[in-house]
């Protein structure tokens, strides 16, 4: 969950960057390219669209919550299996009628994407199925806006609760390996049919989780998208990378609380966060309603998987196309730390999400959606 281990941090090496006008960064040759408008009026337009979209999606979320509450009142339980790995799959993509009035949008256009504008592109994609992997402390619930936007655009979406996260009932303190933590994700990949592929999207600690399965199932992954996420090199742990923050993060050190389920004489078993401080740390640009959702939904982060070093090979992990999304107003995983990961382990392309805190699915859902769609439409490389 961001740089939750700042107290372990050595001083990070200084990184310098040169700004370039392009939006996308092939091979990270142009380090800065704000995914934003060049004028204040267009920036304001994008913000208004995000707010407008927030309102529409929130109405749907409130309706879903009301139905769940009604079901709970009638049956005494939720329509979810809390004893096993929980995955929220989407139905098959709808056939959306085309409209002759659709206009072409440039890739720098932050206007609302309408489903009829994507129908033909989706039908020609290598895959239209995305698997969303939450970060430490989060759950599948955090993607509710992104799920709605992608499904309305014709994509198939799975949002997974990793072990001990979201509504998964396993005790976080009992998770001892990364393999155990990501099992709900590996279950999805194992069940894919021959020739079937997905796009993985990992946020925060979810970056290490998708890296782990990239090594195991490279032929089943079309692309991997890291959103303010731990993008590791072989031999690194998430702790190694997230502890390399420049200076000290006083807010993080104040917010974090180590849990010792096995006793104070043993290593920590999990990390929890002070709910009074997470708004400034994680959600400094997010709507109040989403902060409230997070405060009642977040769970502790298992510590053992965070310390586990990954073994990543060029033949497997290195064969999967990687993309990175930088969140520019992030207080948990600051921009210099994200830049450092990109420089150390360069992805194919880098996208910059202006105005986003550590939770772009809350603070900039439309802009994040636009980037995910754009990456999904990048054609396969022909060897």
């Amino acid at each position: 969950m961001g740089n939750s281990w700042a107290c372990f941090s050595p001083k990070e090496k200084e990184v310098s960057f040169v700004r370039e006008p392009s939006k996308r960064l092939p091979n990270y040759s142009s380090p800065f390219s704000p995914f934003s408008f060049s004028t204040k009026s267009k920036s304001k337009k994008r913000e208004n669209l995000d707010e407008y979209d927030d309102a529409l999606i929130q109405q749907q979320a409130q309706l879903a919550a009301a139905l769940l509450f009604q079901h709970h009142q009638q049956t005494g339980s939720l329509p979810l299996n809390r004893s096993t790995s929980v995955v929220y799959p989407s139905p098959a993509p709808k056939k959306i009628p085309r409209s002759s009035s659709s206009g072409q949008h440039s890739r720098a256009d932050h206007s609302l994407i309408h489903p009829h504008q994507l129908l033909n592109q989706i039908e020609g994609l290598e895959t239209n199925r995305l698997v969303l992997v939450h970060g430490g402390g989060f759950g599948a619930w955090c993607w509710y806006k992104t799920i709605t936007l992608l499904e309305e655009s014709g994509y198939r979406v799975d949002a997974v609760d990793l072990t001990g996260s979201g509504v998964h009932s396993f005790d976080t303190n009992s998770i001892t390996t990364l393999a155990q933590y990501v099992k709900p994700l590996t279950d999805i990949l194992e069940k894919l049919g021959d020739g079937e592929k997905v796009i993985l999207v990992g946020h925060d600690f979810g970056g290490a989780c998708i890296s782990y399965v990239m090594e195991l199932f490279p032929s089943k992954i079309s692309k991997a998208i890291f959103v303010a996420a731990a993008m590791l090199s072989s031999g690194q742990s998430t702790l190694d990378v997230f502890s390399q923050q420049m200076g000290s993060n006083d807010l993080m050190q104040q917010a974090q609380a180590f849990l010792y389920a096995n006793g104070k004489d043993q290593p920590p078993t999990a990390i929890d966060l002070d709910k009074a401080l997470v708004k400034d740390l994680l959600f400094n640009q997010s709507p109040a309603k989403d902060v409230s959702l997070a405060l009642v939904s977040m769970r502790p982060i298992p510590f053992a998987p965070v310390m586990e070093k990954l073994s990543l090979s060029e033949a497997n992990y290195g064969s999967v196309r990687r993309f990175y999304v930088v969140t520019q107003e992030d207080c948990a995983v600051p921009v210099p730390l994200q830049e450092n990961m990109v420089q150390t382990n360069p992805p194919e392309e880098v996208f910059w999400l202006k105005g986003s805190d550590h939770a772009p699915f809350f603070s900039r859902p439309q802009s994040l959606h636009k980037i995910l769609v754009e990456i999904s439409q990048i054609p396969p490389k022909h060897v």
Side-chain angles (χ1 to χ4, degrees):
M1 201 295 12
N3 189 7
S4 300
W5 311 280
C7 57
F8 294 91
S9 304
K11 186 175 180 60
E12 183 187 22
K13 291 186 285 188
E14 183 176 353
V15 182
S16 60
F17 289 83
V18 179
R19 290 185 178 269
E20 297 289 344
S22 62
K23 180 179 72 62
R24 283 171 39 187
L25 309 176
N27 299 320
Y28 199 62
S29 58
S30 301
F32 272 84
S33 176
F35 190 79
S36 62
F37 291 105
S38 58
T39 65
K40 292 183 179 179
S41 62
K42 289 184 178 179
S43 178
K44 186 66 175 178
K45 179 182 177 182
R46 184 205 65 208
E47 293 175 3
N48 289 339
L49 283 166
D50 270 341
E51 292 171 2
Y52 173 72
D53 187 63
D54 281 350
L56 292 177
I57 298 173
Q58 182 65 12
Q59 289 178 5
Q60 297 182 32
Q62 290 172 342
L63 176 60
L67 292 173
L68 285 172
F69 180 75
Q70 183 181 41
H71 185 282
H72 178 70
Q73 290 291 94
Q74 294 173 349
T75 67
S77 65
L78 289 173
L80 298 169
N81 184 353
R82 299 178 62 91
S83 64
T84 59
S85 306
V86 180
V87 180
Y88 300 85
S90 70
K94 300 176 183 178
K95 290 294 183 179
I96 305 168
R98 298 174 62 186
S99 167
S100 59
S101 63
S102 62
Q104 296 296 322
H105 292 269
S106 69
R107 287 182 171 181
D109 184 3
H110 287 255
S111 58
L112 187 68
I113 297 178
H114 294 283
H116 64 259
Q117 295 169 337
L118 293 173
L119 182 59
N120 286 343
Q121 293 112 313
I122 289 176
E123 291 179 344
L125 296 180
E126 182 181 16
T127 180
N128 71 339
R129 183 176 179 181
L130 287 84
V131 179
L132 309 179
V133 183
H134 62 80
F138 291 86
W141 51 266
C142 72
W143 299 104
Y144 79 93
K145 295 180 182 180
T146 301
I147 293 169
T148 301
L149 291 168
L150 288 170
E151 288 182 349
E152 288 182 346
S153 298
Y155 288 86
R156 297 175 60 196
V157 187
D158 295 305
V160 60
D161 275 326
L162 299 177
T163 304
S165 304
V167 298
H168 193 288
S169 61
F170 198 84
D171 180 10
T172 304
N173 291 291
S174 300
I175 299 172
T176 58
T177 66
L178 185 58
Q180 181 184 13
Y181 182 59
V182 304
K183 189 177 186 305
L185 177 58
T186 56
D187 287 347
I188 293 176
L189 275 293
E190 286 175 347
K191 293 175 183 176
L192 292 178
D194 293 340
E196 189 177 0
K197 292 188 175 185
V198 298
I199 296 173
L200 295 180
V201 182
H203 170 248
D204 184 82
F205 184 33
C209 299
I210 67 173
S211 297
Y212 179 85
V213 299
M214 288 161 66
E215 179 66 23
L216 297 178
F217 307 101
S219 64
K220 297 185 176 183
I221 303 166
S222 170
K223 301 179 180 77
I225 305 173
F226 295 74
V227 181
M231 189 166 63
L232 312 180
S233 299
S234 186
Q236 286 185 318
S237 69
T238 303
L239 177 62
D240 293 335
V241 173
F242 279 176
S243 65
Q244 295 174 5
Q245 181 180 333
M246 294 179 66
S248 62
N249 188 336
D250 291 338
L251 182 59
M252 177 59 75
Q253 293 190 39
Q254 294 173 33
Q256 68 187 11
F258 290 92
L259 305 181
Y260 297 85
N262 299 326
K264 287 291 186 70
D265 58 336
Q266 299 296 318
T269 52
I271 306 165
D272 206 356
L273 294 175
D274 185 340
K275 297 299 190 290
L277 300 176
V278 294
K279 184 182 186 302
D280 291 335
L281 181 65
L282 305 178
F283 311 118
N284 47 297
Q285 302 292 325
S286 295
K289 61 181 178 291
D290 293 322
V291 178
S292 297
L293 171 64
L295 290 178
V296 299
S297 304
M298 293 188 73
R299 295 178 61 180
I301 308 145
F303 194 64
V306 171
M307 296 191 297
E308 187 170 326
K309 297 183 184 296
L310 296 188
S311 177
L312 305 173
S313 67
E314 188 61 29
N316 292 340
Y317 169 84
S319 68
V320 180
R321 303 174 71 182
R322 288 180 292 114
F323 302 83
Y324 200 94
V325 180
V326 177
T327 45
Q328 292 190 259
E329 304 296 330
D330 197 324
C331 294
V333 182
V335 169
L337 178 55
Q338 297 182 63
E339 293 171 339
N340 194 342
M341 288 187 284
V342 167
Q343 283 188 327
T344 302
N345 189 18
E348 183 174 322
E349 300 185 33
V350 175
F351 295 77
W352 291 78
L353 194 48
K354 184 177 180 181
S356 174
D357 54 24
H358 190 58
F361 34 73
F362 291 158
S363 59
R364 286 294 179 266
Q366 266 290 340
S367 299
L368 176 62
H369 172 64
K370 189 78 182 286
I371 292 175
L372 297 181
V373 168
E374 179 174 354
I375 294 174
S376 76
Q377 294 175 352
I378 297 175
K381 287 184 174 180
H382 298 288
V383 181

